């Protein structure tokens, strides 16, 4: 079975960085948001993440991820702009609806935090093979069982999407109408979702059998097919990230 994931195959420097360095980048971004909740710092962090995404040539794949959360972000802007407890200064109005400066600035900070987290995770997911990511974590002491669960989680959405497309095409070839009015789509939903669920269950059973045959539960120390890719450049990146977190912690203590 072909392995499906959100990973995008590119020949860029970002793709060559070790998964551990990208995980440390995510942790550093999250800690920076907690320790230094300054709007300029959050904005600079978002810009840095998007520069990394652009250099990795995966910018186009980030838009669907952000678009998925746009409805929540828009609702946050509307609710905070109208009903935030600290609202005092009217900024603009649409008819009788007044939006306030304090609420909109608070909503802007929330959106920056969300974009920071989404963009940092996008760097990891879009530029790292799931197998390499899990292998790096297992090398550092993660249980192979937990690694397998994480690997499955990273692949489940693309695999379900691919299975759904295959089954949809198969049902269309048999004469089923899957497009058109809402009534037609609802009518086609159950004949489509049933095979998807059954296919997922069958794949799960086949994977479990394959793992057992290959000695997955064996207590013998595991070996790795690929060599570890972490080099001097990764050490420098990790050191810089650690120094940034330490500087943010010192700033937090002194401020």
């Amino acid at each position: 079975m072909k392995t499906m994931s959100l990973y995008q195959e590119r020949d860029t420097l970002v793709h060559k960085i070790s998964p551990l360095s990208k995980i440390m980048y995510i942790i550093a971004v999250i800690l920076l948001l907690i320790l230094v909740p300054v709007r300029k710092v959050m904005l600079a962090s978002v810009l840095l993440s998007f520069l990394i995404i652009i250099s990795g040539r995966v910018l186009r794949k980030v838009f669907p991820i952000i678009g998925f959360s746009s409805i929540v972000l828009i609702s946050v802007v509307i609710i905070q702009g109208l009903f935030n407890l600290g609202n005092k200064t009217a900024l603009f109005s649409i008819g009788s609806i007044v939006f306030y400066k304090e609420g909109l600035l608070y909503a802007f900070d929330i959106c920056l935090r969300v974009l920071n987290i989404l963009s940092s995770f996008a760097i990891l997911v879009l530029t790292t093979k799931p197998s390499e990511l899990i292998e790096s974590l297992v090398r550092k002491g993660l249980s192979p069982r937990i690694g397998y669960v994480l690997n499955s989680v990273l692949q489940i959405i693309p695999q379900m999407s691919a299975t759904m497309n295959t089954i949809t095409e198969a049902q269309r070839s048999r004469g089923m109408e899957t497009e058109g009015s809402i009534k037609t789509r609802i009518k086609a939903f159950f004949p489509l979702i049933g095979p998807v669920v059954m296919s997922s269950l069958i794949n799960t059973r086949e994977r479990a059998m394959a793992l057992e045959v290959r000695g997955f539960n064996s207590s013998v120390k595991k070996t790795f097919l690929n060599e570890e890719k972490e080099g001097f450049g990764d050490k420098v990146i990790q050191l810089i990230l650690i120094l940034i977190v330490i500087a943010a912690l010192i700033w937090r203590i002194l401020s």
Side-chain angles (χ1 to χ4, degrees), residues 57-170:
R57 296 189 295 173
V58 291
L59 180 62
R60 186 178 299 178
K61 297 296 180 178
V62 175
F63 293 139
I65 299 175
I66 297 176
F68 183 76
S69 60
S70 61
I71 297 177
V72 176
L73 296 180
I74 291 172
S75 64
V76 168
V77 171
I78 295 174
I79 292 172
Q80 296 297 330
L82 294 175
F83 306 113
N84 188 284
L85 295 177
N87 284 343
K88 295 179 181 179
T89 308
L91 190 62
F92 65 91
S93 61
I94 302 175
S96 59
I97 302 175
V98 181
F99 285 85
Y100 293 87
K101 178 181 178 181
E102 291 80 7
L104 290 175
L105 287 176
Y106 183 72
F108 181 65
D109 290 341
I110 294 176
C111 291
L112 281 179
R113 290 187 176 95
V114 173
L115 287 176
N116 263 297
I117 295 173
L118 288 178
S119 58
S120 60
F121 270 97
I123 294 171
L124 174 67
V125 174
L126 296 176
T127 65
T128 307
K129 291 182 180 179
S131 57
E132 292 181 357
L133 171 62
I134 302 305
E135 187 174 297
S136 296
L137 293 176
V138 173
R139 287 180 187 274
K140 299 302 179 180
L142 181 70
S143 169
R145 294 186 179 184
I146 298 177
Y148 173 74
V149 172
L150 293 175
N151 194 23
S152 299
V153 169
L154 291 173
Q155 296 181 17
I156 189 170
I157 294 178
Q159 285 179 347
M160 290 286 285
S161 177
T163 303
M164 189 68 176
N165 291 335
T166 302
I167 293 175
T168 300
E169 292 296 328

Side-chain angles (χ1 to χ4, degrees), residues 28-37 41 241-255:
V29 167
I30 294 175
L31 291 177
L32 196 63
L33 296 176
I34 296 172
L35 297 173
V36 189
V41 174
L241 292 173
I242 292 172
L243 292 176
I244 290 174
V245 172
I246 293 174
L249 181 60
I250 294 173
W251 181 90
R252 182 73 175 188
I253 294 172
L254 297 178
S255 61

Side-chain angles (χ1 to χ4, degrees), residues 152-245:
S152 299
V153 169
L154 291 173
Q155 296 181 17
I156 189 170
I157 294 178
Q159 285 179 347
M160 290 286 285
S161 177
T163 303
M164 189 68 176
N165 291 335
T166 302
I167 293 175
T168 300
E169 292 296 328
Q171 297 290 43
R172 284 177 184 171
S173 67
R174 296 185 179 99
M176 176 182 289
E177 295 183 9
T178 59
E179 297 181 349
S181 63
I182 296 178
K183 182 179 179 180
T184 302
R185 292 174 182 270
I186 294 175
K187 187 178 179 181
F189 175 76
F190 291 103
L192 291 176
I193 199 65
V196 172
V197 174
M198 290 300 298
S199 176
S200 299
L201 294 175
I202 293 172
N203 288 337
T204 301
R205 185 185 64 179
E206 290 178 349
R207 284 189 178 189
M209 294 173 62
L211 290 173
E212 288 293 335
V213 171
R214 295 171 183 174
F216 184 74
N217 291 324
S218 174
S219 59
V220 178
K221 184 178 179 180
K222 303 293 189 297
T223 58
F224 300 93
L225 178 62
N226 302 312
E227 295 182 1
E228 191 171 7
K229 292 184 177 180
E230 193 172 9
F232 177 75
D234 291 293
K235 298 292 185 181
V236 173
I237 293 173
Q238 293 169 18
L239 178 61
I240 292 174
L241 292 173
I242 292 172
L243 292 176
I244 290 174
V245 172

